[in-house]
Amino acid sequence: MLRVTDFAHQALRQTVQPGDWAVDATVGNGHDTLFLAQLVGPTVRVVGFDIQATALAVAARRVAGHSQVSLHHCGHECLNQLIPPEAQGQLAGVMFNLGYLPGAPKDIVTRTVSTLSALNQALDNLKIGGMVTMVIYPGHPGGEQEANAVRDLVRALPGAFSATHAARLNATHPAPELLVIERIKI
Ligand SMILES: C[S@@+](CC[C@H](N)C(=O)[O-])C[C@H]1O[C@@H](n2cnc3c(N)ncnc32)[C@H](O)[C@@H]1O
């Protein structure tokens, strides 16, 4: 079965090119970080954030050999502060996979206020043609409130952005949803 995370990868494969800058805003165990590192190629071009040191250690092992990845033990709300000056306004792809890390404590979870702050910072730093993908999970405690706030922010974006929403229509439980937001002009 196709998952919304597969659609996110598909969209980014068409967008992020070798030499581009990319951000993994929720590194976790580093699967998406590795995916982005493989897209951008062998220069210093992927920046990752997570608040869990243990997850970052797993991610660091996963991306070992990809010298172009810099991982930060800091929330994604640090994006503006920690991306290098040459990446500012030049991001081709930013991935968010919200919620909690499977296998880790479920109270270590993304939160509405920092998610909205990070999403705004990511959008501000997209180059034209760049894309944010965000997988949102309405099913866990606090997840619906976060999902509502994100959808509201995205619905109100100006015409410089094009936003697409995908979700399984015949799910019996709250299903993950994908938002893909492209910057189409300044
Ligand atoms: C669904 S998991 C991400 C899975 C990850 N993409 C992977 O490939 O393993 C969500 C992650 O968001 C992290 N997280 C929670 N709050 C965060 C924040 N403010 N900034 C960055 N990451 C955060 C959690 O620690 C968790 O690792």
Side-chain angles (χ1 to χ4, degrees), residues 16-20 35-46 66-69:
V16 179
Q17 303 298 321
D20 276 338
F35 167 75
L36 290 171
Q38 288 166 340
L39 291 183
V40 301
T43 45
V44 184
R45 299 282 172 171
V46 180
H66 291 269
S67 57
Q68 76 277 32
V69 177

Side-chain angles (χ1 to χ4, degrees), residues 49-69:
F49 300 95
D50 205 293
I51 55 172
Q52 288 193 68
T54 44
L56 285 169
V58 174
R61 285 198 292 279
R62 194 178 303 285
V63 299
H66 291 269
S67 57
Q68 76 277 32
V69 177

